[in-house]
Each structure stands twice: as C-alpha cells, then as structure tokens.
Amino acid sequence: MSPSPCTEGQSSTTERKFRVLAGLGSFLQHPEFAEAGTAGIFEPWVVVNRELMNRAVVRGEIPAHADIEMACHVITSMASFRGLIQRKPFDKPFFTALIDGILLPALKNPQTAPNIMDR
C-alpha cells in the first residue's frame, strides 16, 4: 500500500527525504515550519495509501467504516521508524509484513472507537 517499496530509486529518494527531515530537528521545533516540512515529506505517502485503501473499500476487501486515516498514518510512521531509527531498508518483505500482518487484519476488524485523527 505504500509507494516507497516499488523501486530501488524510489527507496533511495525516500531515505534521503528522511535523512533531511532528521537533520532538521531544530527547524521542526517551530510549529509554523514543522507542519509544512513534514507535510511535504509525508503527505504524499498518506495520499497514495488513502487512495489504495479506498479502492479496497470499493472492492469490498475492507469495510467502509475501517479507520483508513489511522492506517495511512501508521504506514508512514512505521516506514519512518524503520528508516530513521532502525536504519533498515524500505523493502518489500517489511511492507508485506506490515500490511498483511498488522494493517489488513486491523482494517478488516475495525473497532467502533472514534477516529482520533480528526482531533
């Protein structure tokens, strides 16, 4: 569901973006800059993942009341953690395990809790 594991070139580009973001720690302490900076790096992933999940809803693969917004942010967060903290590659086995082992089961069996992403 994430655009980053598609090709080696995309993976390298994504890793560079994360390194830049990590290097901007003091810059990101200012809310007026942090929002624009992180949106430019992470929002494209969220948009692509949201579209893919919405297509899965239309196909009946996940329920319409699944918390797609939270799932989009979980994918991006886990990819960020993997690259920035663990310093491991964004590879197909990682994303397959994340999507098949964690996200799809959660999306197929959503709780009725309110979407906290709207807060």
Side-chain angles (χ1 to χ4, degrees):
M1 287 186 180
S2 178
S4 60
C6 296
T7 67
E8 189 65 35
Q10 286 176 327
S11 179
S12 297
T13 300
T14 301
E15 288 179 38
R16 280 193 299 274
K17 287 180 180 180
F18 285 140
R19 282 195 299 269
V20 168
L21 182 62
L24 296 175
S26 62
F27 175 76
L28 295 174
Q29 298 301 314
H30 302 281
E32 65 274 14
F33 302 127
E35 188 173 328
T38 56
I41 292 173
F42 297 113
E43 192 59 27
W45 282 30
V46 172
V47 168
V48 168
N49 287 316
R50 184 183 301 119
E51 176 63 27
L52 292 173
M53 285 186 236
N54 284 329
R55 290 180 190 175
V57 168
V58 170
R59 291 188 304 265
E61 296 171 354
I62 57 177
H65 64 283
D67 193 346
I68 290 173
E69 286 304 307
M70 179 67 80
C72 290
H73 289 278
V74 167
I75 292 170
T76 305
S77 298
M78 292 303 299
S80 301
F81 178 80
R82 179 132 172 121
L84 292 171
I85 306 302
Q86 293 182 320
R87 302 224 183 262
K88 292 183 179 179
F90 308 107
D91 55 12
K92 188 173 181 175
F94 166 73
F95 282 104
T96 300
L98 173 63
I99 292 166
D100 291 345
I102 297 171
L103 290 172
L104 284 177
L107 289 167
K108 289 180 180 180
N109 301 294
Q111 302 297 313
T112 57
N115 184 338
I116 64 166
M117 298 305 293
D118 294 334
R119 293 184 198 166

